[in-house]
């Protein structure tokens, strides 16, 4: 979770002003906020998340302690590929998260012969990521979904309407799953080049290569 710090600064002579920080990871904000309070010049202080929810330092500390043993700081890369000639699709997702102080990567792909377009394959790939999050018991936290499909990203974020019946059905299915898991979705559009891992997983699925793997990320 990312938050910003909002605090009322008080000078020795009693003058006050309200200040806001840039957005940062919640753990970093907690460290900075606690250090700021030690100066004795903070009249009031709280943190604000991307859903505009206010957190006291006590609430934020309790939240971070609670989620440390569960997957958090989650980013899902997704991509779908569709072969018009064979009417077959490949789906791929790569999920990055932290748990118990360690970073992990989960990779998963799937084959489908039931989709009708590349846009449907993109939606199905994102939904595949949601299914994996459910298996990881992810709930009640924000998650970033990153893909190279303008249609999916813009429709799910509300920028574009989902006019096609099949795509509207996928959007409703995804919204229902997000609500079920109480996940606050954040969507980000990137280039296909920057989405190469999920693209490769989708291509492998189309070629009959199944990928399912979870690994700890070892920093050099």
């Amino acid at each position: 979770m990312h938050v910003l710090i909002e605090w009322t600064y008080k000078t020795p002579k009693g003058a006050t002003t309200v200040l806001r920080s840039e957005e940062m990871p919640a753990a970093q904000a907690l460290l900075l906020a606690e250090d700021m309070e030690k100066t004795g010049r903070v009249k009031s202080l709280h943190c604000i998340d991307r859903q505009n929810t206010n957190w006291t330092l006590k609430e934020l500390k309790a939240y971070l302690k609670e989620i440390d043993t569960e997957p958090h700081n989650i980013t899902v890369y997704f991509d779908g590929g569709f072969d018009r000639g064979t009417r077959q699709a490949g789906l791929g997702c790569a999920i990055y998260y932290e748990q118990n102080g360690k970073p992990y990567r989960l990779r998963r792909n799937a084959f489908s012969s039931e989709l009708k377009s590349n846009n449907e394959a993109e939606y199905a790939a994102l939904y595949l990521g949601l299914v994996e999050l459910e298996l990881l018991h992810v709930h009640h936290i924000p998650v970033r979904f990153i893909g190279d499909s303008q249609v999916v990203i813009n429709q799910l974020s509300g920028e574009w309407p989902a006019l096609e019946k099949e795509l509207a059905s996928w959007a409703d299915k995804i919204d229902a799953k997000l609500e079920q898991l109480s996940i606050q979705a954040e969507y980000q559009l990137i280039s296909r080049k920057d989405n190469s891992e999920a693209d490769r997983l989708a291509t492998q699925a189309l070629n009959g290569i199944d990928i399912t793997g979870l690994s700890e990320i070892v920093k050099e």
Side-chain angles (χ1 to χ4, degrees):
M1 179 171 68
H2 285 68
V3 300
L4 58 83
I5 305 170
E6 182 176 270
W7 72 102
T8 301
Y9 179 82
K10 179 180 63 177
T11 69
K13 293 185 178 181
T16 63
T17 187
V18 177
L19 302 169
R20 273 193 173 196
S21 73
E22 295 181 349
E23 190 179 80
M24 65 189 80
Q28 180 183 350
L30 181 62
L31 288 174
L32 288 173
E34 289 179 333
D35 192 63
M36 290 161 61
E37 286 194 327
K38 292 177 183 177
T39 66
R41 295 188 178 181
V42 175
K43 185 176 181 180
S44 63
L45 182 151
H46 60 270
C47 295
I48 306 172
D49 64 22
R50 290 176 177 174
Q51 283 68 49
N52 209 34
T53 301
N54 290 343
W55 297 75
T56 66
L57 293 193
K58 184 178 179 180
E59 290 170 338
L60 192 61
K61 185 182 294 186
Y63 171 78
L64 291 174
K65 183 178 180 180
E66 178 184 347
I67 69 169
D68 187 57
T69 58
E70 301 178 356
H72 58 281
N73 290 343
I74 302 171
T75 299
V76 178
Y77 291 86
F78 69 93
D79 196 30
F82 184 75
D83 188 322
R84 288 195 179 98
T86 62
R87 311 297 292 177
Q88 296 175 337
L91 321 175
C93 67
I95 302 173
Y96 290 81
Y97 65 93
E98 296 176 19
Q99 187 172 12
N100 294 317
K102 298 178 181 180
Y104 292 91
R105 180 186 67 170
L106 186 154
R107 295 188 303 153
R108 177 85 163 86
N109 70 0
F111 171 85
S112 175
S113 59
E114 300 176 356
L115 305 175
K116 299 177 181 179
S117 68
N118 190 74
N119 286 333
E120 268 202 275
E122 295 279 6
Y123 264 109
L126 192 156
Y127 190 79
L128 176 66
L130 271 175
V131 170
E132 293 301 315
L133 293 182
E134 185 173 21
L135 292 173
L136 287 170
H137 305 292
V138 173
H139 58 91
H140 293 87
I141 58 173
V143 174
R144 280 202 310 163
F145 294 91
I146 300 179
D148 56 48
S149 169
Q150 282 191 319
V151 170
V152 171
I153 295 296
N154 288 332
Q155 287 182 351
L156 289 177
S157 63
E159 296 293 323
W160 294 357
L163 300 177
E164 296 179 47
K165 181 179 179 181
E166 290 83 2
L167 302 189
S169 177
W170 275 108
D172 289 343
K173 187 176 180 180
I174 287 169
D175 286 342
K177 179 63 72 174
L178 290 169
E179 184 176 357
Q180 175 193 339
L181 301 176
S182 295
I183 288 175
Q184 299 92 51
E186 302 168 12
Y187 299 105
Q188 181 181 342
L189 180 66
I190 58 174
S191 68
R192 184 172 183 179
K193 178 182 177 182
D194 291 333
N195 200 30
S196 59
E197 183 175 24
D199 176 71
R200 183 166 57 253
L201 287 166
T203 301
Q204 288 172 321
L206 267 173
N207 293 331
I209 303 171
D210 294 329
I211 304 292
T212 301
L214 174 63
S215 59
E216 180 183 342
I217 300 172
V218 180
K219 298 181 180 180
E220 298 181 358

